[in-house]
Amino acid sequence: MIAHAGMDAAIFLRFTIMCRNIFLALGVVGCCILLPIYYTLNSDKTGNQKWFMRLTPSNVNDQPIWALVVTAYLFNVIIIGFLWWNYRRVLQLRRIYFESKEYQQSLSARTLMLNDLPKKYANDEGIARIIDDVIPHASFARTAAARNVRDLPDLIQQHDHTVRKLEKVLAKYLKDPQNLPPARPTCYPSKKDPSYSTYPKGQKVDAIEYLTQRIRELEIEVKEARANIDKRSTLSYGFASYDDISEAHSIAYALRKKKPQGATIVLAPRPNDIIWDNMPLTPANRSWRRIIINFWIAILTLVWVAPSAMIAIFLVNLSNLGLVWPAFQTQLSSNTGFWSIVQGVASPGILSLVYIVLPIIFRRLSIRAGDRTKTGRERHVVGKLYAFFVFNNLIVFCLFSTIWNLVSSVANDPKKAWDTLSNFGITLFISLCDISSFWVTWLLQRNLGAAIDLAQLWTLIYSFFMRKFSSPTPREMIELTAPPSFDYASYYNYFLFYSTVALCFAGLQPLVLPAAALYFAIDVWLKKYLLLYIFVTKTESGGMFWRVLFNRFVFGTILSNLVVFLTAWVHGDGVHEMAFASIPLPFIMIIFKIYCSKTFDDKIHFYSTRNIQKHPEGVMQKDPLRSVGLAHRFGHPALYKPLITPMVHAKAQNILASIYKGRLSDGRDAYSGDTMSTSGYSDAYVMNPMNAGKPGKSANLPGFEIVPESRLDFEYYKTRAEFALEHGGGNIFGRSDDIIRPGTPGSMWNGSEPTSRSGSPTIPSIPRMDSPSRLPSSDIGTTYPGGYSQPLGSPYTSEMGPGRSRSPLYSLGNDSGSNLVGNAAAMPIAAPGTRERSQERPLRAPGGVGMLGGGPRGYGGLPQEEDFGPEHDPMQYNYFREARTTRRY
């Protein structure tokens, strides 16, 4: 499971299996011991009691309650046994994860992250000095202080937003290229545009021309901002990398409770796990943000009390609504069967709908809380969601039902108001027994939600409406085919809440235990399938959710012990011996939690707690290439993130050039036919660039990525950063950016690994052709005999086409005036006809140069159009007389 879906998926399945096994064992014990006692020793002999209430201790008193106390001890022993066993298994999985090849070769495994650095230590030398002052015998560390990128991330975000907006405008306008709308699309200028004040106020402008111009300006600003980064302007965090993983972990372990010079030193997360916007925050700013977020969460919790109370009072028991609405009471009495069905379905259904919205709200609040990592933020979301659900949907839900019963009793007999209020414990106990049937029904109904997850019903409906009733851009179409990321925070919260509900009502209504066991038994199979074949892990934490889950499960068990104490107190004997006998139960769980924390946590979090030198001399063998990319890999992504290119569907390729009134580029890069002058001189003319893939055909319009219908699939774009960032990155679909290769400055592999994910189709990828040194030795066609020089514009030189730093949108080279032999064949070393096609094919990839930048295969190393031969040219006579099938070699 770890090899196919990752460590987080393995921990998730292990937790689900543990819940299934726990509730199966508890269900057997509870149903075999408690149900016979509750049913046979019930004191109500009138026959008017509902059969469901006969399975609760509402009418069981005195000595039979000892069975509940003994069963509670058995429940605690069973839960402790399963938790301890799985804690050991998680430790074993973590040790296997530490020894895996991926972890051993990752840069983050041997890197420390230093936060809250003082100003005088916020540099490369200061970081090393802080560590040396505390750990004087530590080996040499390569350090990198964070650089101040200023407004560069905001510029890139504006660029991405503008590109997507232009794609949306073009998708709507070119939906039917043969029947264009009579009016060109318009839009309001962006308020973030520096020249916003120069546009007429309240008037729209041509959307295509404005957005194109805005993209150009943003690209220039991004380029200038990257070139003007001041390396002397640093921020209050940095990184230190070591050659040995054991040493890095031992230093992090030794400094886990210390703050040398006020700095905190922890193990570095993966670069794609870091929330870069929150890294420069000071401790004061971070604390203030958390206070504000907790305040809003408290407000949301209090606001939700009213709807939760209405559901608990009226929907759970419709007869309460009849007490205040006489007309409804008449209808309820005449149609008992129908309203019983409504009562059993309405309240669980409404509660389930709320569960869909709340995680979204809590995640958006937590984003602003100042967490440094995405996985840490998700763990905090789990904790906040669980606290909200337990307080509002369990405690308040049950208390308001009790309060309503008290108010009803006082209203019926005001003279006995004091006696009624003094018996609050008995009223609460009876209300819990009454409401237990709701939770059994609700847990059974949750199986429907698991089936909906398996069918991906919501995703299917959303995709259908997007395709049929809107004009999706090629980028949106590609994203619709991408595997969705698994929402660990929401699912963990659901499982913890279901477990807490089942544990709390286990002693009052034992049927809740088999209901929970059935849910988890079904979900084990469903979630295993979903994790293997549908969902992906967006950001891998290495299984660090376990401690959050363990602590909440222990808390749920303690809460159930309090319910047992309440039952023993109100329905036990007069001297409360049974209640006193149940007091040790919560303390047993607390002691068990402390034991597990001290025994397992350090081994789970750290690869080694003391430095074990691999070299007996104590001097590490330095490899200067091993961590040469520390500043790059742990630098802000805005410094090297490639800018995205507007995508246009291939069906609009022919009409795309005609919808522009202005030029897309300046000077020598501009052309609009063979009458366009070069650099403003009227005596120098250039012709339209020729398509390198189809001689005689003009090249596509520069600055756009033409996406054929056959390429509208995430499979072809899964290794590109702009798509992989939201769908697992290189951790699943290819080589992770965090992997280092000792002795090699970089990797020549640019595609996804064939064995990256079983069950997913893969396509062959082509190595990057940046320099001749990276060419495979089998490419003998690139060898030139003496007396000959390599042709200019060879596809294997770094000057081939515009690069990432120079935008291909407005910087297209003048191919008609230079590099005239850019696609010339290499000098042969054998007679014609002896060279095999397999050696010839890598020399030229489909798609023209310059259209999108990035080499012969266009932006991102992908062919930009169907590579059809001359026989598939629509202008040829035989095009409509022959079958159009792709030639297979």
Side-chain angles (χ1 to χ4, degrees), residues 336-357:
T336 307
F338 171 76
W339 289 110
S340 297
I341 296 175
V342 172
Q343 178 176 304
V345 175
S347 53
I350 293 176
L351 212 56
S352 300
L353 289 177
V354 173
Y355 293 169
I356 299 176
V357 180

Side-chain angles (χ1 to χ4, degrees), residues 775-783 829 835-836 838-840 842-843:
L775 291 178
S777 59
S778 60
D779 291 337
I780 57 177
T782 60
T783 304
I829 61 174
R835 185 168 55 188
E836 297 181 358
S838 61
Q839 298 174 349
E840 183 179 0
L843 296 181

Side-chain angles (χ1 to χ4, degrees), residues 748-779:
M748 62 177 287
W749 186 253
N750 192 34
S752 60
E753 299 176 1
T755 58
S756 62
R757 184 174 175 87
S758 63
S760 301
T762 58
I763 57 175
S765 300
I766 296 180
R768 288 183 300 190
M769 302 177 180
D770 295 340
S771 61
S773 62
R774 290 184 178 181
L775 291 178
S777 59
S778 60
D779 291 337

Side-chain angles (χ1 to χ4, degrees), residues 359-379:
I360 300 174
I361 298 175
F362 272 82
R363 183 170 286 104
R364 292 186 178 182
L365 288 174
S366 298
I367 288 176
R368 301 179 178 273
D371 290 327
R372 295 188 176 97
T373 62
K374 300 174 185 176
T375 53
R377 179 196 65 200
E378 291 300 296
R379 291 194 293 271

Side-chain angles (χ1 to χ4, degrees), residues 261-320:
Q261 304 297 334
T264 57
I265 302 177
V266 296
L267 292 173
R270 299 188 182 194
N272 66 333
D273 188 22
I274 298 176
I275 304 176
W276 297 99
D277 292 342
N278 292 341
M279 291 297 292
L281 295 178
T282 62
N285 290 338
R286 187 171 285 106
S287 299
W288 176 248
R289 283 193 175 195
R290 289 175 179 171
I291 292 173
I292 296 298
I293 294 303
N294 290 332
F295 171 77
W296 282 111
I297 291 176
I299 293 296
L300 180 62
T301 303
L302 295 176
V303 168
W304 179 245
V305 167
S308 180
M310 295 300 103
I311 296 174
I313 294 171
F314 298 114
L315 288 182
V316 173
N317 191 354
L318 293 177
S319 60
N320 291 334

Side-chain angles (χ1 to χ4, degrees), residues 8-19:
D8 281 340
I11 295 296
F12 179 85
L13 281 181
R14 172 153 293 277
F15 178 74
T16 311
I17 293 173
M18 182 193 73
C19 292

Side-chain angles (χ1 to χ4, degrees), residues 521-537:
I522 295 175
D523 232 35
V524 164
W525 180 77
L526 294 182
K527 291 301 187 289
K528 182 177 181 180
Y529 175 85
L530 292 174
L531 287 169
L532 285 175
Y533 301 108
I534 296 180
F535 288 106
V536 295
T537 301

